[in-house]
Amino acid sequence: MKGTRVFCTVGGLRTHARRLGQGPPLVLVPGLGCAAWMYHRVGEELARERTVYLYDPPGHGLSEGRPEFPVCIEHLTDHLAAWLDAMNLRGAPVFGHSLGGEVMFDLAARYPGATCALIACAPTGIPENPSVRVQFLRLLLDLPRERLGLLLPGLRAYTRCGLRRMYRLARDQEAHMTGPLLGRVEVPTLLLDGLSDPVVRSWTIWQIHETIPHTVIRQLPGATHAMTDTFPRTVARFTLDFLNHRRL
């Protein structure tokens, strides 16, 4: 995998990110249980115009965690905000995939000034999944649609994160009422909607669009939940055009 490993200590935890490319910074926040190495395809496309930081949340990828941290979305958000400060990246645009999208919505709402723009790729963020069981079933529907080369890195990432942590974070999604927070997001936001994604449905994207002012939706026909891996060039092009148009 291209790029340079960057470590810093945040809240006593050694935190990892993979840095690629040159140019204005862009931070990528992964989904539930995922790790930086799962995003190298889109990272390399984005790095054609940006300095991209593929961030590992605590307890994910190569970042340290504790048994009781993180176990909720606010833990993830608080750590991300502190990491942005520690890395002198406060105010940089943030790209969030799946649960990473929900984390960055929380970040923009609770930490004004932490980011100047959001790119939400198949984001969670409203209580659309009534149970962890339903989320798991939707992921099972999605797996056969993903690129075979992603499955082994994904299994490695999930093993590193651990089923207990993943379960507790997924359970917290049911209690984490992002809805009221969405109305407090005031930065430009791009919503990427995969039209073949069984995990996050299009109606979810449109509901987020109605709640956050100044949002733009881009739809990707045939794109699955892991569109960062299956459609990396299209995802990167939509992202870069969005940021360049706003000179961010």
Side-chain angles (χ1 to χ4, degrees), residues 26 46 73 78 82 85 100 105 124 132 134 153 178 195 206 234 245:
L26 173 63
L46 291 166
I73 290 167
D78 293 342
D85 284 339
F105 291 147
T124 59
V132 174
V134 172
T178 312
L195 297 184
W206 285 100
T234 306
H245 179 70

Side-chain angles (χ1 to χ4, degrees), residues 16 37 97 129 132 149 171 177 180-181 192 194 215 218 226 234:
H16 167 262
W37 59 71
H97 173 242
N129 292 327
V132 174
R171 282 292 302 269
M177 296 300 293
L181 292 174
L192 297 177
T215 55
R218 293 290 181 263
T234 306

